[in-house]
Amino acid sequence: MTAGTEVRAPALPASGGRPRVRGGGRAGRAGRARRRLVRLASLLAAAGLWQLLTVTDARLWLRFDRLPTLVEVAERAASLLATRLYWLDLLQSLIRICTGFGLAAVAGVAAGILVARSAKAGDVLLPLLEAVRPIPAIALVPVAILLFPTDEQGIVFITFAAAFFPIMVSTRHAVRALPTLWEDAVRTLGGGRRHVLLNVVLPGILPGVFGGLSVGMGVSWICVISAEMISGEFGVGYRTWMSYTIVDYPSVIVGMITIGLLGWLTSAAVELAGRRLTRWLPRAEEAAS
């Protein structure tokens, strides 16, 4: 190479620097529409089967004669949606999830990076974290009742504990899986520790972090609903349990459906955020999602 020769980097694709593989044209759109129809049909088939088994009082080992029909559930859902208490419970559960999960996301990512990149921090923190990690978060309810002055703070703590460990473990493994060549290259070019952290470590671990966030969100919903049933005063879990105690089974089913929808929507929000923040990653056919 002669002096003064200009070295040009290869041009990146116009779509944010990452190649996209998409099913294009009418065939791609038809395929996506067909898959959506299949998903909708599976839900409708399950609902139809529920209605058939409950209306006919079927007893095929499982006793469907004890369950409310789909029509009864729909009628109760319509009446509950018109009440202020239903929306208050829903909002209370969402506040608890967002608070506990948000704190766990920050603490889990920070702890995962710290124990993976610092041998001293790992020696101090990992024994304690690994000793506590196998304990189910819901088993910490008695401790939360003793430690925190209000039930609300205790439920948020349970939610935090449920989400913290999946996030921390995923982050730790993601940091350890980073190729050391990346960091060595940046340091060779004069980059300091802060530059390496912000420009190599954090972008590189995002896929693993969001995997932990997705798992953490699901576990958080399991534990916050359980905690609400045990010691809550408001919330979807508390109201569902109260409906069970007064033998209001249609309201129980409405509560279960509400929990499922809330969990699905919040997990989808986490996955969408992950896709937006990792657009630079090469992906295969995105229509499969």
Side-chain angles (χ1 to χ4, degrees):
M1 183 180 295
T2 59
T5 302
E6 184 179 1
V7 179
R8 295 181 179 274
L12 294 172
S15 58
R18 69 177 180 90
R20 290 177 179 265
V21 182
R22 291 179 180 269
R26 293 182 179 178
R29 289 192 295 270
R32 289 191 290 271
R34 186 163 51 251
R35 297 185 72 239
R36 293 191 185 100
L37 287 175
V38 171
R39 295 177 182 182
L40 178 60
S42 69
L43 292 175
L44 293 177
L49 182 61
W50 177 296
Q51 179 68 8
L52 176 64
L53 292 173
T54 52
V55 167
T56 58
D57 292 333
R59 302 184 72 172
L60 308 173
W61 185 61
L62 297 175
R63 303 183 61 175
F64 292 97
D65 56 324
R66 293 184 172 187
L67 291 177
T69 67
L70 197 62
V71 173
E72 292 172 338
V73 173
E75 291 174 349
R76 185 55 52 86
S79 64
L80 289 176
L81 288 172
T83 64
R84 180 174 177 270
L85 187 60
Y86 175 85
W87 297 104
L88 179 63
D89 287 331
L90 190 148
L91 179 62
Q92 191 68 36
S93 293
L94 282 174
I95 290 173
R96 289 164 175 164
I97 276 289
C98 291
T99 304
F101 180 78
L103 293 172
V106 174
V109 172
I113 294 175
L114 182 62
V115 299
R117 291 185 59 81
S118 171
K120 292 181 180 179
D123 292 338
V124 173
L125 296 177
L126 274 180
L128 176 62
L129 293 174
E130 291 300 322
V132 177
R133 184 162 68 96
I135 302 174
I138 198 62
L140 299 175
V141 168
V143 176
I145 292 174
L146 293 174
L147 284 178
F148 293 93
T150 66
D151 290 340
E152 187 66 26
Q153 294 171 346
I155 293 174
V156 170
F157 168 74
I158 296 301
T159 309
F160 166 85
F164 172 80
F165 289 103
I167 297 170
M168 185 273 294
V169 171
S170 296
T171 302
R172 186 183 70 186
H173 288 307
V175 173
R176 290 179 174 176
L178 286 176
T180 56
L181 180 63
W182 295 358
E183 183 173 344
D184 293 340
V186 173
R187 289 189 180 278
T188 300
L189 295 173
R193 296 186 63 180
R194 183 177 179 182
H195 186 84
V196 169
L197 178 64
L198 295 178
N199 296 280
V200 177
V201 176
L202 289 180
I205 66 175
L206 278 179
V209 167
F210 274 98
L213 290 173
S214 183
V215 174
M217 177 60 78
V219 178
S220 293
W221 272 111
I222 295 172
C223 291
V224 75
I225 295 300
S226 302
E228 286 177 348
M229 289 181 175
I230 295 172
S231 62
E233 294 182 4
F234 291 98
V236 179
Y238 170 79
R239 200 64 55 190
T240 302
W241 180 253
M242 288 298 101
S243 299
Y244 171 75
T245 60
I246 61 174
V247 199
D248 184 2
Y249 294 127
S251 294
V252 172
I253 302 300
V254 172
M256 293 169 61
I257 294 172
T258 301
I259 294 166
L261 288 174
L262 289 174
W264 173 60
L265 290 174
T266 50
S267 295
V270 171
E271 292 185 7
L272 179 61
R275 285 179 175 272
R276 291 287 184 266
L277 291 175
T278 59
R279 286 177 295 182
W280 46 272
L281 282 174
R283 290 193 178 93
E285 178 62 50
E286 294 188 5
S289 62

